[in-house]
Amino acid sequence: MTDSVERMWARLNGLGYGADYNPEQWPASTWAEDMKLMRDAGVNIVSLGIFGWAQIEKRPGEYDFGWLDEIMDQLHEAGVSVCLATATASPPPWLARLHPETLPVTKEGTRLWPGSRQHFCPSSDRYRQAAGNLVRRLAQRYGTHPALALWHIGNEYGCHVSACYCDASAAAFRRWLRDRYGDLDALNGAWSTAFWSQRYGDWAEVSPPRIAPTFANPAQQLDFARFSSEELRSCYQTEREILREITPRIPATTNLLSLWKPVDFFAWAPGLDVIAHDSYPDPDDGQTVTAAAFNYDLMRSLGGGRPWMLMEQAPSAVNWRLSNSPKPPGVMRLWSCQAVAHGADAVMFFQWRASAGGAEKFHSALVPHGGTATRTWREVSEFGRELTGLAGVRGSTVRAQAAIVLDWPNWWALELESHPSTWVSLVEQVHRHHAPLWRENIAIDVVAPEADLSGYRLVVVPNLYLITDRAAAGLREYVASGGHLVVSFFSGIVDEHDRIRLGGYPAPLRDVLGLRVDEFWPWPPGTTHEARFEDGGAAFGVDLWADAIELEGAAPVAVYTDGPLAGTPAVTRHRFGDGTATYLGTRPDEAGMRRILAAAAADAGAAPVLAGLPDGVEAVRREGPGGSHLFLLNHGAEPVTVTVPDGSALRFGDGVLDGTSLNLPARGVSVVGEAVQVQKSKNQEAM
Ligand code: GAL
């Protein structure tokens, strides 16, 4: 960890607790009350001024820092650190009036107007210049302010506008393509333009994949997705460089959404000094905590295991779903602790005080419209005080023996149209692979396909349709040297330009998996079939997809009992070198998936954090210099009793520990300190 990040954490003196703070929406008379209430609630950090541009720079080049000076001072006096926004996520209306070319344009050619937020073209020099001027002024003014802990650059890049198709963007896309390919021959080859008379003879002919009569060139779409993520990243980096130059000792970040397709988190992560995440689990969705666990593991993994910040979550209801339920009593606390369990060292919310006007007035806040006489305030203020009891986990991490592979270019390519099936959704598939391991309480990292996999006992690869040579070589090496790999259907099909890897699917993985896929047999939604395990005969449902598998050394683990491929393998297993490769040629139902992945984990020696827990109880272990902390989270509506390791001591939460027996109330959370470190990674064991 860099010194600047270390300093940022150290000044919080425990875990971070706070919220987005938008004082510009309120008269100055409210601010004193805010400071008092922040103290009451244990708030020690706020994200300040994220949408403050129009209030800071009221006219081009005319800055009004008075209110920001005042609020920075007040926060400092109140002992609250500031994650200061660069305020560039929502340009003021004057920018659009003076420079309409800063506004983004959709694929259909429609210009998006001001009046909401994020209305900027990432390739607009004018926008970048105006944003840069503001950032420079902010850095010069507040760089040495004692309240400043961290810079918050932009906000949720790509959330509303992830790509722009205007002429400036087209020119930037061409420049990016020239850098990537050097000459047009290379581009024509990569884009397979011999097809449908698409050959380009001049760079000026190349454009973003604007609306077209039918399927746009897939490689063009794929490169445009790469370019768009990079173009947003370069907006971030432009601001980052200015801040680095003026305030080299202050770390910077931006808030990443949950599994967000337009932004390649793996490419962005190295530019963030600390990973920050916005998480909005849906209280009406029964699977929401499983998905949240995945996102949190991803955030930790993006930072190489280092602590991350839960930068935003809702204290209760949001305002942007079709129907917005509040979080039931205890759920905000439980879900906050879930993030901490998975490695967050800060728990923050959107937002501090509920807006009285504007599009988000029905979004929950720490201080609701009803003030402190509200359930939300009671819960958040009690929890803020309680959280100080978890200070000892700061800096500790989760060690995982299993990893799931995720890749943005693959995601972009997999979900392009004109495939055997357009019903394959990467996020859905990733969750289907992750959930059974989560239910078994197996700790998981989320890694890119070219990552070093040698530390993991089990590596799960959902639908890696696009595979680079390096990734294929890495997976091969992983299995050959003793790892257990699980790969699911429609993997290893194309190269990085969406060109088929010829020689029988999945060409680069055929010998590792010990099979060849002759044909794809996708099924439309609603069609289900059955497969049966070879070793004892349990049957499970399958849907969406079936590969016609020809075995080339692999053994069948399960076989279709009906449908067009009856009697042929649905799931296989193959020894390759010192390792094992399991292949899923179809999409098993939940029970089937759980059995396949539990067997793979057992075979690989990827042990649960704690075995034999009732369904709905999540166990996560954070380890660090301060010892080992076992988080037990009861997501269920009934109390449970769980057995914890010998010598455990209750450190936090509402369970009752009697020897090794822990009673955990419904929606309860306990953290127990363990006498010994229980799990070792594959590398550690080898030592
Ligand atoms: C986030 C955004 C916040 C606020 C919040 C509401 O996506 O960063 O500014 O809009 O959603 O849930």
Side-chain angles (χ1 to χ4, degrees), residues 248-291:
R249 287 165 59 83
I250 305 293
T253 191
T254 188
N255 41 353
L256 303 175
L257 289 140
S258 295
L259 260 192
W260 193 242
K261 189 173 174 183
V263 173
D264 181 346
F265 290 175
F266 285 118
W268 281 58
L272 275 55
D273 295 317
V274 55
I275 301 293
H277 176 47
D278 295 353
S279 175
Y280 288 93
D282 180 356
D284 290 327
D285 172 0
Q287 304 302 315
T288 209
V289 289
T290 319

Side-chain angles (χ1 to χ4, degrees), residues 20 22 50-51 117-118 152 155-156 159-160 255 257 278-280 312-314 317-320 350-351 360 363-364:
D20 279 19
N22 300 308
I50 295 177
F51 299 102
R117 63 176 175 183
Q118 219 172 75
H152 184 298
N155 189 63
E156 292 189 341
C159 173
H160 307 302
N255 41 353
L257 289 140
D278 295 353
S279 175
Y280 288 93
E312 286 183 26
Q313 62 169 336
V318 300
N319 66 302
W320 40 262
F350 177 85
Q351 64 174 325
E360 294 187 319
H363 196 289
S364 59

